[in-house]
Amino acid sequence: MKKRIYGRLILFLVFSALLALSLFEAKADGELPESTTDPTSTEGPIDWSQYTYNELLLIRDSLNDHIREMERQYAIENGNRIITLSDAEVTLYTKKTHTLAAEIKRVVEDAPDKTTLVWKSSDESVAKVSNTGVVTGIGYGTATITCSASDDEYIFAESAIHVVLPVSKITLDTSNVSLLLSDQNPSDGTASLSCTVAPDNAHVKDVTWTSSNTEVVTVDERGVIHAISPGTAIITVRSKDPESSTVNATCKVTVLQVVNKITLNKTSLSLNINASETLTATILPANATNKKVTWESSNPKVATVSINGQVKAVGPGTATISCIAADGSKVRATCTVKCIQMITGIKIDVKEKTITLNRDKSTTLKTIIQPANASDKSLTWSSSNPRIVSVTSAGVIKAVSGGAATITCTANDGSGKSVSIEVFVPSISVSRTEYSVSSKSGLDITVQYYGLYRNFSYSVSPSNLFDVKTKQSGDTITLSIVPNKAGTATITLKDSADRRNETKITVNILHSACYDTSSYPKGDYESVLRNPYSYKGGNMSIYGRVLQIGTSWGSTYMRVATRGRYDNVFYVKCSSSIAAGIIEGDYITIYGTCTGTKTYTTVLGASVTIPSIDAEKIVTGKK
């Protein structure tokens, strides 16, 4: 009993000291009002009237805490037992339990062997404790669990129980999000999700974010989502609190591929008034989610456009037709439309369907444009073969070479109107179409040919009057006529590249130009022998068999029998070149000049006189 009284005296002194200390600290901290009477003074009673009710409660609570601690320390230092708990501090979720284990240690020999423990909670609205130390979380807050000896309340131990709240609900700011994949606006493919964790004082408010399909959309730890490819994915936000692992919220994310580019089949267009044309749009990429477009005209008074892209010219001027993606990407393509009075027809002012123009000649083609009030009357001229016919921008054509080319005149106003005419350039040109050949040396006829030489050909009818030899030099072809027989023949000149290139030349071979009986009368042996001077120097022809032949100094000498084997023999003299290849026994026809008679001595010494002739041409062959 003395020990208890002594202890309580000590506690009273401690209480007084702590009270003075608390008042001093409160005043120093500015929590208590200043007073002329020091409440800690021992010279007189404390003047409590200077404090408000709340200030006094604060002083009381502070003193109680200090008193309990001093009592505990005293029990430990002076009591006969010490109680310790397994946990000095415990965090506990509501409706969850935790068992505090108490250990009792006897510190003096006369301490009881067994101690009955008493368990108490400082606030059962926060935590309750059973008589076995099982603590149950009741409500949010902190409570002190005291375990004391039933026979001495100053022998005790305490544990601070912090009751916390699990996450009961997570709410997202939206449940559906649409993202756009766009090359022009990459930010359209990103969005931020935010969540609200309930209750506000939940113990763990951290969350995790996941995507059901990371190939479609990803999400980072802040809830920022990024579109990857078109499709759908579910974003889930889940509590990190182990007690609330099933608490989550979801958001459906739809990723749309927007239109990145639109191309039109035409970027510029010329239309006649009241004419129309449909524009075609190509949407890129091909996997764009929404390929619908809208059409607009910058000036409907000039050109209108339908929902299908059909442009119609309604008035003169210029308008811009826009094709705009309907998916919100604002991507567009434009076509400039010029509305004019277009040309409806073009004519070349000529009567013939084909113009014939000789080489190196030029002429200007004139056109008639309809209607007369066409907005743009400019034309473009072209030649299908400028190597044959060239044409200038003013419509001046020039024949360059033989052949045919198509000259085309096209309107420049976009109407597509054009007109063409064929220009024929003869490839064969002759200065004359009739010739007479009076000389045995023949005649050269020159022809101008402006085509490919391999395409040039000629034919002679009848073909036995003369021979033809050709020679080319540039654009000139020389036809060398070698007469054979008197008469008239036609030379037909052709160009296989064009049947129209056909020219006929008439050639008349006079008797004076050929070796025949008309020009060279047949010589009679007896007549010449009897009257040699009458025939000497005149043209003459004979036919017979070669009896004897010889040569001397480039000349050939022959005796030719004109009747029978040895009768009516003529003496023939000619150049060796004319007699080349002739042997005794050949039958030949000789054309030449009668030289009268020739007297020679035979082997037997007899003197013989026979008709003689100088041969100009010898034809071998028996008649």
Side-chain angles (χ1 to χ4, degrees):
M1 178 64 70
K2 290 181 181 180
K3 190 175 181 179
R4 176 65 57 85
I5 294 173
Y6 178 75
R8 292 192 177 186
L9 178 60
I10 292 175
L11 288 174
F12 176 78
L13 294 175
V14 171
F15 170 80
S16 299
L18 290 174
L19 176 61
L21 179 62
S22 298
L23 293 175
F24 177 79
E25 290 176 348
K27 183 175 182 181
D29 293 337
E31 297 177 359
L32 300 177
E34 294 184 357
S35 173
T36 56
T37 303
D38 185 353
T40 62
S41 174
T42 58
E43 296 180 357
I46 298 173
D47 186 3
W48 298 105
S49 63
Q50 297 184 56
Y51 302 98
T52 66
Y53 175 75
N54 289 331
E55 290 171 343
L56 291 174
L57 290 177
L58 179 63
I59 294 173
R60 183 194 67 183
D61 293 340
S62 180
L63 287 174
N64 287 338
D65 291 340
H66 284 289
I67 290 171
R68 282 195 297 271
E69 181 60 27
M70 293 303 295
E71 287 177 341
R72 172 178 170 77
Q73 291 300 323
Y74 176 78
I76 292 173
E77 295 175 5
N78 302 287
N80 54 13
R81 287 159 291 178
I82 297 175
I83 300 174
T84 57
L85 294 177
S86 57
D87 300 289
E89 189 172 9
V90 175
T91 298
L92 186 65
Y93 286 96
T94 57
K95 298 181 181 181
K96 299 293 182 180
T97 61
H98 181 78
T99 300
L100 293 174
E103 182 182 356
I104 303 170
K105 183 178 181 181
R106 298 168 64 247
V107 295
V108 294
E109 291 183 359
D110 59 351
D113 292 333
K114 294 183 179 180
T115 301
T116 301
L117 299 176
V118 177
W119 297 86
K120 289 184 179 181
S121 171
S122 65
D123 190 345
E124 291 193 348
S125 65
V126 174
K128 290 183 179 181
V129 63
S130 70
N131 55 8
T132 58
V134 178
V135 181
T136 302
I138 303 300
Y140 178 77
T142 300
T144 301
I145 301 300
T146 302
C147 176
S148 61
S150 61
D151 59 341
D152 191 341
E153 62 180 355
Y154 294 102
I155 300 175
F156 65 93
E158 294 178 338
S159 176
I161 306 299
H162 305 288
V163 179
V164 296
L165 301 179
V167 175
S168 61
K169 185 178 182 181
I170 297 177
T171 305
L172 281 170
D173 56 341
T174 181
S175 59
N176 284 281
V177 171
S178 292
L179 298 179
L180 304 178
L181 283 173
S182 172
D183 292 344
Q184 296 185 358
N185 300 297
S187 61
D188 291 344
T190 301
S192 294
L193 297 177
S194 62
C195 67
T196 302
V197 178
D200 290 340
N201 55 353
H203 180 55
V204 178
K205 302 189 76 174
D206 293 337
V207 294
T208 59
W209 299 84
T210 57
S211 170
S212 65
N213 191 342
T214 55
E215 293 183 356
V216 174
V217 64
T218 61
V219 61
D220 63 15
E221 69 278 1
R222 298 171 299 165
V224 179
I225 55 178
H226 298 275
I228 304 300
S229 64
T232 302
I234 302 299
I235 299 300
T236 301
V237 57
R238 193 182 304 275
S239 173
K240 280 188 175 181
D241 189 345
E243 294 295 323
S244 309
S245 59
T246 60
V247 179
N248 65 75
T250 60
C251 174
K252 180 180 179 181
V253 180
T254 302
V255 179
L256 306 176
Q257 175 61 62
V258 302
V259 175
N260 290 326
K261 185 178 182 181
I262 300 175
T263 59
L264 296 178
N265 60 323
K266 291 186 178 181
T267 57
S268 62
L269 194 62
S270 292
L271 289 178
N272 200 10
I273 304 301
N274 295 324
S276 62
E277 186 167 338
T278 299
L279 296 175
T280 302
T282 300
I283 307 300
L284 296 174
N287 65 339
T289 305
N290 183 359
K291 294 184 178 181
K292 293 182 179 180
V293 295
T294 59
W295 297 87
E296 292 181 358
S297 172
S298 65
N299 193 343
K301 292 182 179 180
V302 172
T304 60
V305 62
S306 71
I307 59 174
N308 298 319
Q310 185 182 51
V311 181
K312 183 177 181 180
V314 295
T318 302
T320 299
I321 302 299
S322 298
C323 177
I324 308 166
D327 62 357
S329 63
K330 300 180 181 180
V331 175
R332 66 173 57 206
T334 61
C335 175
T336 301
V337 180
K338 184 178 181 181
C339 299
I340 60 174
Q341 177 58 62
M342 292 187 179
I343 294 174
T344 59
I346 307 173
K347 293 181 179 179
I348 295 179
D349 192 14
V350 292
K351 295 180 180 180
E352 303 83 3
K353 293 182 178 180
T354 299
I355 298 175
T356 300
L357 192 64
N358 290 330
R359 186 174 184 255
D360 294 331
K361 299 297 182 181
S362 299
T363 188
T364 300
L365 298 180
K366 296 182 180 180
T367 58
I368 300 173
I369 295 176
Q370 297 172 335
N373 65 339
S375 301
D376 183 1
K377 294 183 180 180
S378 62
L379 306 170
T380 296
W381 294 87
S382 63
S383 171
S384 64
N385 194 339
R387 292 180 298 177
I388 295 176
V389 182
S390 65
V391 62
T392 69
S393 59
V396 178
I397 59 174
K398 182 179 180 180
V400 179
S401 184
T406 300
I407 301 300
T408 301
C409 173
T410 304
N412 292 330
D413 62 356
S415 63
K417 299 298 180 181
S418 64
V419 65
S420 298
I421 190 169
E422 185 184 49
V423 179
F424 172 63
V425 181
S427 59
I428 301 174
S429 176
V430 297
S431 58
R432 294 168 55 187
T433 58
E434 287 192 24
Y435 290 89
S436 292
V437 181
S438 60
S439 172
K440 295 180 182 63
S441 61
L443 178 69
D444 287 343
I445 300 174
T446 58
V447 176
Q448 297 302 119
Y449 178 65
Y450 308 121
L452 296 175
Y453 185 66
R454 65 173 178 268
N455 295 330
F456 177 81
S457 65
Y458 69 90
S459 61
V460 180
S461 180
S463 60
N464 62 341
L465 298 184
F466 53 84
D467 296 328
V468 180
K469 296 181 180 179
T470 62
K471 180 180 180 182
Q472 181 192 20
S473 177
D475 294 335
T476 300
I477 295 178
T478 301
L479 304 175
S480 295
I481 307 300
V482 180
N484 293 326
K485 186 177 180 180
T488 301
T490 300
I491 301 177
T492 302
L493 308 176
K494 293 183 178 181
D495 183 348
S496 61
D498 194 321
R499 294 180 180 179
R500 291 172 292 185
N501 285 301
E502 183 176 304
T503 300
K504 295 182 182 294
I505 299 176
T506 301
V507 179
N508 183 24
I509 305 297
L510 302 179
H511 288 290
S512 60
C514 60
Y515 295 94
D516 59 11
T517 55
S518 297
S519 300
Y520 292 84
K522 185 176 180 181
D524 180 71
Y525 174 81
E526 291 182 359
S527 297
V528 175
L529 189 59
R530 292 179 184 277
N531 300 292
Y533 292 103
S534 297
Y535 292 95
K536 187 177 182 178
N539 290 342
M540 183 176 291
S541 64
I542 62 172
Y543 168 76
R545 184 171 178 267
V546 178
L547 300 178
Q548 186 180 25
I549 186 169
T551 60
S552 176
W553 299 100
S555 296
T556 297
Y557 305 93
M558 292 181 289
R559 286 190 304 115
V560 178
T562 61
R563 182 179 296 177
R565 293 179 60 87
Y566 297 100
D567 295 339
N568 298 343
V569 177
F570 275 73
Y571 180 84
V572 180
K573 177 184 177 183
C574 65
S575 65
S576 296
S577 60
I578 294 176
I582 298 175
I583 60 176
E584 293 177 357
D586 286 344
Y587 286 89
I588 60 176
T589 301
I590 300 170
Y591 300 93
T593 303
C594 180
T595 58
T597 59
K598 173 69 173 177
T599 300
Y600 65 95
T601 300
T602 68
V603 177
L604 298 177
S607 178
V608 179
T609 299
I610 58 176
S612 65
I613 184 173
D614 284 348
E616 298 176 10
K617 182 175 182 179
I618 299 175
V619 178
T620 303
K622 191 174 183 180
K623 291 184 179 181

